[in-house]
Amino acid sequence: MSAQEPIAQSRVSLTPGGSRGLVLDLIRSYGPISRVELATRTGLTQATLSGVARALLADGLVAEAGRAQSTGGKPRTNLQLVSGARFAVGVQLGSESNSFVAVDLAGSVVGRMRTVGVSASTPADALRDIGETILALLSGVDVDPSKVVGVGLVAPGPIDVDGGTFLGAPQLKGWKNVPARERLAEAVGIPVILDNDASAAALGDFWSGDLPDVHAHATIYMGQGIGAGLLLNGTVLRGASSNSGELGQTILDTSGGRLCTLQELAAPLAVVQNALTRVYVDERYGLTESDPVGGFRRLAVGAARGDKEAAALLQGSADYLAIAVTNLAAILDLDSVSLAGPAFADAGDIYVHAITDRLRRQFFARDRHAVRVRMSSQVSDAAAVGGAALVLQTLLAPRTFTVGR
């Protein structure tokens, strides 16, 4: 199948959006729900809604689910989502490890896999292996590939989302100008969407229902680098080229007056490099610059077990990140922040406390509202789950960010 074909005729699909997407998303979010309530929530006429409902029933995406309690007239028939009608796959591509998830139409994870990352492979070999792993994952959870509407492949930026190309993230050596969308689609025979890992993680938080009543949210994603996925009322804020949220590239002034990026001060490599200057810490944890995330996680485990030196190293990173997040919160008037990514899996509490404390003391609008800080419900696999959610949202209920007057 050509990578340029959105969905082959023999492959099932969801919907391009519009009335169908709106109704289906409401059934997913609030079902079982009656047609009358759907009409009230959507503003669609009863005739239009009845036509949409019949089409969704015929496609097997929804099913009737008993009757609502009568309010005096004929009892209303409820509609609910058929979660197993369609599936999506999310893949988080990384230098040390790749994460794979399969999710159903409701967004529930039905299967997971993790493989060695792409650092030792050429892009062509890695994408072929990723395609084989996707098919193995689907086979392992007994999902027919023809029911999979797409694959969401996510990685650190910069990315050309429209062209489906990785432009060369510092963490992915040899991946400059790689047409990953086309190559993976050819390898797996399923349509592919590309996105930034932090944006995907934020969308995954929203899609999974973790962000009720949230207006302005940032998911801080830390693997080897540091990014921020930004959501305004459930819509990803992408910027001019879909490369917004590169929090690691923001400039901070250190106590010595030297301007550094947040990446240089707080990312796992920075923590490991700092630890390497302390011989006793280096020897205790076997640290190397070639494995910053692994070394960082060992330090995090040590800190959790009471190692004061390891805890101090992580606290320094957390304090710098807290400054950057407070700046971001002031710019976007955030009311919610979540932390995701493998670097937070063992050290999340230190970062949650540091960011919460900084926001409580210095957030510009703190007298108007607080900013809730929490761990993502899918800490290590958040980007992969978000990649699958991206597929479902793109095909199910597309959202476009607009600025109103």
Side-chain angles (χ1 to χ4, degrees), residues 11-36:
R11 179 173 297 281
V12 296
S13 65
L14 288 173
T15 166
S19 299
R20 280 173 55 102
L22 176 60
V23 171
L24 191 55
D25 194 33
L26 285 173
I27 296 173
R28 179 188 73 86
S29 301
Y30 299 104
I33 185 172
S34 70
R35 291 171 175 82
V36 173

Side-chain angles (χ1 to χ4, degrees), residues 268 272 285-288 291-300:
V272 168
Y285 293 101
L287 305 177
T288 66
D291 181 22
V293 173
F296 179 91
R297 294 191 70 171
R298 290 194 293 277
L299 287 168

Side-chain angles (χ1 to χ4, degrees), residues 88-216:
V89 173
V91 181
Q92 188 273 326
L93 186 149
S95 59
E96 292 87 16
S97 66
N98 301 321
S99 296
F100 300 76
V101 299
V103 306
D104 63 19
L105 188 53
S108 299
V109 176
V110 298
R112 302 176 189 265
M113 290 185 71
R114 190 178 299 275
T115 65
V116 175
V118 301
S119 60
S121 302
T122 65
D125 289 342
L127 290 167
R128 184 190 64 247
D129 292 343
I130 288 171
E132 292 175 354
T133 302
I134 290 171
L135 296 177
L137 172 63
L138 296 174
S139 176
V141 295
D142 198 26
V143 169
D144 186 341
S146 68
K147 283 191 173 184
V148 179
V149 295
V151 174
L153 177 63
V154 303
I159 295 172
D160 179 357
V161 171
D162 294 333
T165 303
F166 291 138
L167 299 179
Q171 303 94 320
L172 298 175
K173 305 300 183 183
W175 284 74
K176 187 174 180 61
N177 298 325
V178 175
R181 182 178 65 195
E182 179 180 358
R183 291 182 180 177
L184 183 56
E186 290 175 349
V188 78
I190 299 172
V192 175
I193 297 173
L194 255 61
D195 207 346
N196 174 277
D197 51 10
S199 294
L203 184 57
D205 283 340
F206 173 79
W207 192 264
S208 63
D210 286 348
L211 306 176
D213 303 321
V214 165
H215 298 287

Side-chain angles (χ1 to χ4, degrees), residues 92-373:
Q92 188 273 326
L93 186 149
S95 59
E96 292 87 16
S97 66
N98 301 321
S99 296
F100 300 76
V101 299
V103 306
D104 63 19
L105 188 53
S108 299
V109 176
V110 298
R112 302 176 189 265
M113 290 185 71
R114 190 178 299 275
T115 65
V116 175
V118 301
S119 60
S121 302
T122 65
D125 289 342
L127 290 167
R128 184 190 64 247
D129 292 343
I130 288 171
E132 292 175 354
T133 302
I134 290 171
L135 296 177
L137 172 63
L138 296 174
S139 176
V141 295
D142 198 26
V143 169
D144 186 341
S146 68
K147 283 191 173 184
V148 179
V149 295
V151 174
L153 177 63
V154 303
I159 295 172
D160 179 357
V161 171
D162 294 333
T165 303
F166 291 138
L167 299 179
Q171 303 94 320
L172 298 175
K173 305 300 183 183
W175 284 74
K176 187 174 180 61
N177 298 325
V178 175
R181 182 178 65 195
E182 179 180 358
R183 291 182 180 177
L184 183 56
E186 290 175 349
V188 78
I190 299 172
V192 175
I193 297 173
L194 255 61
D195 207 346
N196 174 277
D197 51 10
S199 294
L203 184 57
D205 283 340
F206 173 79
W207 192 264
S208 63
D210 286 348
L211 306 176
D213 303 321
V214 165
H215 298 287
H217 171 80
T219 293
I220 310 303
Y221 188 86
M222 186 157 75
Q224 278 190 289
I226 305 173
L230 309 174
L231 288 176
L232 301 183
N233 293 318
T235 300
V236 178
L237 178 61
R238 298 191 174 279
S241 65
S242 295
N243 285 291
S244 64
E246 287 296 332
L247 193 64
Q249 301 307 310
T250 56
I251 306 297
L252 298 181
D253 186 353
T254 69
S255 58
R258 186 169 65 94
L259 295 179
C260 298
T261 66
L262 177 64
Q263 185 97 355
E264 294 173 301
L265 296 168
L269 178 59
V271 175
V272 168
Q273 287 175 331
N274 194 2
L276 286 171
T277 65
R278 308 181 185 193
V279 176
Y280 46 89
V281 177
D282 174 19
E283 293 176 347
R284 192 179 310 157
Y285 293 101
L287 305 177
T288 66
E289 291 189 11
S290 62
D291 181 22
V293 173
F296 179 91
R297 294 191 70 171
R298 290 194 293 277
L299 287 168
V301 171
R305 293 175 176 172
D307 186 328
K308 293 182 180 179
E309 292 296 330
L313 289 164
L314 293 174
Q315 188 65 54
S317 166
D319 289 341
Y320 281 123
L321 183 59
I323 293 171
V325 171
T326 301
N327 291 339
L328 185 65
I331 293 169
L332 294 178
D333 193 17
L334 298 177
D335 58 352
S336 173
V337 172
S338 62
L339 307 183
F344 290 128
D346 297 300
D349 285 348
I350 293 175
Y351 288 84
V352 168
H353 291 317
I355 295 169
T356 299
D357 181 63
R358 177 74 65 171
L359 287 168
R360 180 184 57 79
R361 291 185 290 111
Q362 294 189 316
F363 174 51
F364 179 75
R366 62 189 179 278
D367 292 335
R368 179 67 177 84
H369 67 86
V371 183
R372 180 181 174 185
V373 183

